[in-house]
Amino acid sequence: MKVLVINCGSSSLKYQLINPSTEEVFAIGLCDRIGIPGSKFEYEVPATDFELEIEQDLPTHKEALELVLNTLTAEGHGVIGDIQEVDAIGHRLVHGGEEFTESVLLDAKVIAGVEANNDLAPLHNPANLLGVTTCMELIPGKPNVGVFDTAFHQTMPAKAFMYPLPYADYAELKVRKYGFHGTSHKYVSGLANELLGNPEHSKVIVCHLGNGASISAVKDGKSVDTSMGLTPLQGLMMGTRCGDIDPAAALFIKAKRNLTDKEIDTRMNKESGILGIFEKSSDCRDLENAANSGDERAQLALDMMTYRIRAYIASYAAAMGGVDMICFTGGIGENSDSIRAKSVEGLEFMGVELDAAVNGVRKKGSVKLSTATSKVAIYKIQTNEELVIARDTFEIVK
Ligand code: AMP
């Protein structure tokens, strides 16, 4: 089976053509700056190392997807003879609200149900659904499956997902914690359970640290808490997002600086986090390089970021009554040995011991980073959200 995985943003379209059974990736790529001058198209065939990067006008997602489909079937570097060889399309959908607790076959009724949650993710959901309708138009007759970022966290108990606001805000407005990065937390915690030997009871903490970052507590394979909330702004300090702050701070800044709702939202989502403190970049590599060269602000941002990760790990261990494995994933979690080290520094009191030598070695895949005597296993695990989407799509359409 060949599943086309689509991750459609407002001005981008990421794609992969995958065999979910063998995990083979036939092609992978990206359309960037759709509808913006300087559109870019990238295409790669992992089996042959063929790579294509071109600048091409892509006024809408339709032209972008047409280019993807034409390239997948092109003579020479194409990977399929005909678009009919695509058996199904799997879409990343950000917000499924409370209605969607698992992946779903998409039809007009289900799409209307997803649209009902657009208020909860105004930037993401409409863009995701644009990918769905464009695929339905350009690849007619093939099943489309939606895989939600929020679905894996729908197992959280009410004591974890409720905010202590007036109950009517939950009952009438659905204001609560939903959590995001669900496909990554599901994949990594699933692998963690395999590595633990699939015990009947397990307590796993997944630290997904990328430009967006979230932590989850996964007990017996089910998400019981996670750091992101109603929106992906809550929780850890991220590339440009502030994460946890006193909500009154936002109101105070808004009033003092005479900002509009949109401006304070932009300040918290796009101008805060690493960028807000370091001021020179939101990228973790730049941050680490600057800190290593003695930049005090970079060091402060690093200290703040890892302090918060450590506090979340300890709090989730407390919430679950222990922890068997701590996993690091995402661009930062998989690649930065120093951030991993600082994130578990001081947790020896709960039996967490990092093997500094192994942690420093660059190796792909799943790597055990804890010492032989550590009571808690520490792993870095390469996440694979596209594979989860392809697998769920396969399960639903097979
Ligand atoms: P993601 O959103 O998962 O793609 O992760 C992006 C983040 O990972 C960026 O902040 C990158 O700077 C960071 N990152 C990627 N490679 C490294 C590395 N070798 N060391 C530190 N951070 C890295």
Side-chain angles (χ1 to χ4, degrees), residues 14 181 208-213 239 274 281-288 305 329-339 362 383 385:
K14 293 184 194 147
H181 291 143
H208 176 111
L209 310 178
N211 195 29
I274 293 174
S281 165
S282 63
D283 191 283
C284 218
R285 280 163 293 201
D286 297 341
L287 181 72
E288 289 198 277
M305 192 174 139
T329 193
I332 299 168
E334 290 168 30
N335 295 304
S336 172
D337 53 321
S338 63
I339 289 181
R362 287 203 157 270
T383 195
E385 292 163 275

Side-chain angles (χ1 to χ4, degrees), residues 11-70:
S11 62
S12 68
L13 188 155
K14 293 184 194 147
Y15 64 93
Q16 284 194 27
L17 187 66
I18 302 181
N19 181 333
S21 308
T22 62
E23 302 186 9
E24 182 182 358
V25 177
F26 302 106
I28 176 171
L30 160 80
C31 302
D32 209 8
R33 299 177 67 87
I34 299 169
I36 304 171
S39 311
K40 212 173 68 182
F41 173 71
E42 291 176 19
Y43 173 79
E44 191 188 329
V45 180
T48 58
D49 285 334
F50 176 84
E51 280 181 29
L52 183 71
E53 198 178 317
I54 50 172
E55 282 195 14
Q56 178 159 339
D57 204 21
L58 299 170
T60 72
H61 287 73
K62 187 170 173 195
E63 285 81 9
L65 187 63
E66 273 170 348
L67 180 57
V68 172
L69 300 180
N70 289 339

